Amino acid sequence: MKQFRLRRHGAYAAGTLMLAACTAVAGIFQVFLADLPSFDPAVLRYRQGIDIHDSAGNDVYRMYDAEDRVVLGADAVSPYIRDAFVAIEDERFYERSWCIDGVAILRAAVANARAGRVVEGGSTISQQLVRSVYLTSEQSLRRKVREAVLACRMEARMSKDEILLSYINRVPFGGPLYGAERAAQAYFGTSASGVTIAQAAVLAAIPQRPSAYTDPAMLRTGVDRDVVQELRSGDADPRDIESAMLRGGLLGRTVSTPSGSVRIDGRADAVVDAMRRLRFITAAQADQAHADLAHMTLKRLPVPRTAAHFVESVRQDVEGLLETVGDADAWLQSGMRVETTIHPVLQEIAEQTLLEQRSYLREWGARHAAVVIVERSTRNVLAYVGNIDYDDPDAGAVDMARSPRQTGSAFKPIVYAADMMATGANSGTFILDGPLGFRGEPKNYEGGYKGWMRIKSALGGSRNVPAVRAFFDAGGEENVLAVAAAMGVVAPLEARERALVYDPWFSFGWPAALGAAEVPLIELVQAYATIAEHGVFMPLRVVDRIRDQQGDTLLATPTGVAVQAIPVDVAEEIDEILRDPLVRPKGFWRSMLTIPGLRTAAKTGTSNVCLRRNARGTCTSYGVNNVWTVGYDDRIVVGVWVGNADNASLAPTADGLTVAAPVWRILMEKANGLPVSVR
């Protein structure tokens, strides 16, 4: 009886201890699972990169946030990729009925214990997927418990095929590359549906150590140098090579020995062996895959850099367009192709011309230049070069097509347009080229005065004093800047409004007539397009349409709304002056801006910078810092700016005619006869 009571007390004690243990474990799990989010399949969705194309469908650039990804559909994944990932990451993925793999966990524990460090993991594909979405990579029991619970929740709501596809689309492949499709494109120049077994093995191998395996130094398995020498001399047997002597790489390495070549496998070879062991591939296929891996390289195709400065304009336009549609996020998740207005031939001509003229421009002290070419009728931007060389460390990435600079005489056509609108003048109206009678009055470039002259001669000869007189006749700064803004040159008006906030007395004054207000090239080209098209303003257009990955149109961007910015007769008067070679001064001036076979309109501009001031602050020495030529024929408007991003002065004799006009002329001649309409 006493023995029975002892056994009964022992059972009670054991039960109490078991209950306490279960309670403790439950408490621990409750702490571990606190704030654990519920699984939502929507969290597995992700934005894709945006492909930018020119008007002929060629790649221009690819935009993405932190992750460059192209999401694959279920029918676009090669079975080799599916099998390779399952073989190396979770070989019982389809067979097991539970959300964790006890066999893999036990095997990993034994391997890690033998190695004395973590050499193998036991996580399933489901666990790895939820870890990448919800958790971190911290090594702790808490994270493992939370990971397992979330994996179970995911497998309860998604099929194995859906989970595997999400995993293949999400994992990293080195640098900004994410997802098997983008990796296949970048490393092999193919799609994920067309990879070989060896290529699939490489893709499945990379995610274990994406940064290391895509580093050229880690591409192939490394072997201790002394061991290599012993193998080559015959002093060592290949079978004696221990793992500690190896530095695992993505691909294997072949070492020559007296008895023949020895193959030392890499991570991708292990994937092939696992696929063969699981009978996903035959022995013959495995042998061929190993042979392919022995000679494989990763291409890392270069990202196109055409129209690098133009891409930023496209990005801003795309962001603006997406704000106008309700399903923008769905578009970003499904992938987008942005078809731009860039003309591939004209873009190449513009880029190459600036590179070819680089030495010539540097002779004049100019390190930078920009070109914008626009189709007159549509205002499509056909070519856009923000600087000579985007990769030049000397401010090459600065987009000088959008950087406001003083335009010099290139602003005068706008001044005369404002004058004609205010006074009813025309190209034949006389205007006085004589002293203005106020302190610090402007001087003509050549000096002296020519007395009364027609407006067409004053503008054609780029006389300064008549332009200032026209500025006052037009009503002064406020009216002239308003007309400029209507024509597309908004920077001076915006700058004036900002300045007035801090200085109620701010004014550009009469120097605005001579281009003292700063204007970006893109806006000046816009204004000349307005003149060319009978005074009609339309916004410039850089995006033609946006399609999804299947080629269906998501959004077609129409031509902008046309507005009669200046009267037709005024625009035609200015146009006639700019086209007339007889009003241009004889000699180099006339010959440079007159192109045989083309009835071109053109205007140059040169701005000055003060180099030295006296004690009273008066400028005593001037230099040249910006030179321009903007003009057009019957189809296109071409604008050229030349100078220095830091506003450093050019050679003393530099001007728009001798420095920018030769570049403009080359572009006009090369563009002659090319079809320019988009699609």
Side-chain angles (χ1 to χ4, degrees), residues 356-419:
E356 291 166 1
Q357 295 300 308
R358 191 176 201 170
S359 296
Y360 174 77
L361 299 179
R362 285 187 171 177
E363 291 176 6
W364 295 94
R367 309 190 313 274
H368 306 113
V371 169
V372 174
I373 303 177
V374 171
E375 185 178 21
R376 281 179 42 173
S377 59
T378 62
R379 312 300 161 90
N380 287 334
V381 175
L382 303 177
Y384 186 109
V385 185
N387 219 321
I388 297 176
D389 181 2
Y390 184 89
D391 295 316
D392 186 350
D394 178 17
V398 178
D399 185 354
M400 298 309 300
R402 291 189 177 275
S403 299
R405 292 300 170 100
Q406 292 183 340
T407 63
S409 296
F411 192 75
K412 289 175 182 175
I414 298 173
V415 175
Y416 281 104
D419 178 22

Side-chain angles (χ1 to χ4, degrees), residues 277-437:
R277 178 171 52 80
L278 296 173
R279 298 184 180 180
F280 291 154
I281 56 176
T282 65
Q285 287 176 313
D287 290 341
Q288 181 60 55
H290 282 302
D292 292 343
L293 290 173
H295 305 287
M296 182 172 288
T297 58
L298 301 188
K299 294 181 179 179
R300 283 313 290 260
L301 300 179
V303 177
R305 292 299 294 271
T306 303
H309 297 93
F310 174 73
V311 170
E312 178 61 22
S313 299
V314 173
R315 184 187 66 79
Q316 294 176 6
D317 266 39
V318 169
E319 289 177 353
L321 290 170
L322 292 180
E323 289 176 358
T324 67
V325 295
D327 53 353
D329 199 59
W331 290 5
L332 290 167
Q333 290 177 5
S334 63
M336 290 165 43
R337 292 178 51 190
V338 178
E339 297 176 356
T340 72
T341 60
I342 282 292
H343 189 293
V345 179
L346 281 176
Q347 180 67 28
E348 183 177 4
I349 287 173
E351 291 179 355
Q352 289 302 314
T353 298
L354 286 188
L355 287 172
E356 291 166 1
Q357 295 300 308
R358 191 176 201 170
S359 296
Y360 174 77
L361 299 179
R362 285 187 171 177
E363 291 176 6
W364 295 94
R367 309 190 313 274
H368 306 113
V371 169
V372 174
I373 303 177
V374 171
E375 185 178 21
R376 281 179 42 173
S377 59
T378 62
R379 312 300 161 90
N380 287 334
V381 175
L382 303 177
Y384 186 109
V385 185
N387 219 321
I388 297 176
D389 181 2
Y390 184 89
D391 295 316
D392 186 350
D394 178 17
V398 178
D399 185 354
M400 298 309 300
R402 291 189 177 275
S403 299
R405 292 300 170 100
Q406 292 183 340
T407 63
S409 296
F411 192 75
K412 289 175 182 175
I414 298 173
V415 175
Y416 281 104
D419 178 22
M420 292 179 183
M421 291 171 63
T423 66
N426 57 47
S427 62
T429 300
F430 282 92
I431 191 166
L432 180 60
D433 181 8
L436 288 162

Side-chain angles (χ1 to χ4, degrees), residues 48 70-73 75-76 331 333-337 339 547-554:
Q48 304 189 54
V70 175
V71 176
L72 290 165
D75 57 348
W331 290 5
Q333 290 177 5
S334 63
M336 290 165 43
R337 292 178 51 190
E339 297 176 356
R547 300 181 189 270
D548 60 20
Q549 285 187 322
Q550 287 68 48
D552 297 326
T553 298
L554 298 172

Side-chain angles (χ1 to χ4, degrees), residues 566-650:
I566 60 176
V568 175
D569 60 334
V570 170
E572 291 177 348
E573 290 282 342
I574 301 296
D575 171 73
E576 187 62 32
I577 297 170
L578 297 179
R579 284 183 184 271
D580 189 354
L582 297 180
V583 301
R584 300 167 188 159
K586 295 179 181 180
F588 180 73
W589 193 325
R590 183 177 296 182
S591 63
M592 176 54 67
L593 299 182
T594 305
I595 303 175
L598 286 177
R599 188 166 176 262
T600 55
K603 186 72 188 74
T604 62
T606 305
S607 73
N608 297 324
V609 60
C610 183
L611 300 178
R612 192 175 299 107
R613 295 181 183 275
N614 60 24
R616 292 176 296 178
T618 303
C619 188
T620 59
S621 176
Y622 289 92
V624 174
N625 61 344
N626 298 285
V627 294
W628 311 69
T629 299
V630 185
Y632 51 86
D633 61 14
D634 292 337
R635 303 177 307 150
I636 60 175
V637 183
V638 177
V640 176
W641 167 89
V642 178
N644 293 306
D646 58 4
N647 245 331
S649 61
L650 307 181

Side-chain angles (χ1 to χ4, degrees), residues 410-489:
F411 192 75
K412 289 175 182 175
I414 298 173
V415 175
Y416 281 104
D419 178 22
M420 292 179 183
M421 291 171 63
T423 66
N426 57 47
S427 62
T429 300
F430 282 92
I431 191 166
L432 180 60
D433 181 8
L436 288 162
F438 56 78
R439 185 178 179 181
E441 63 179 286
K443 306 296 181 184
N444 289 307
Y445 182 72
E446 304 87 350
Y449 303 100
K450 292 190 175 183
W452 289 97
M453 61 192 311
R454 297 184 187 276
I455 284 179
K456 64 179 180 181
S457 298
L459 176 55
S462 199
R463 304 292 289 175
N464 287 341
V465 174
V468 174
R469 198 176 297 277
F471 174 83
F472 288 121
D473 290 344
E477 178 177 319
E478 189 167 341
N479 286 350
V480 170
L481 295 189
V483 171
M487 297 172 68
V489 175

Side-chain angles (χ1 to χ4, degrees), residues 39 41 96-99 126 130 148-160 162-163:
F39 176 76
R96 59 179 170 75
S97 57
W98 218 47
C99 47
S126 300
V130 295
V149 172
L150 281 171
C152 292
R153 291 178 181 177
M154 181 171 68
E155 292 198 3
R157 298 191 60 180
M158 296 174 65
S159 69
K160 292 290 182 67
E162 290 172 333
I163 293 171

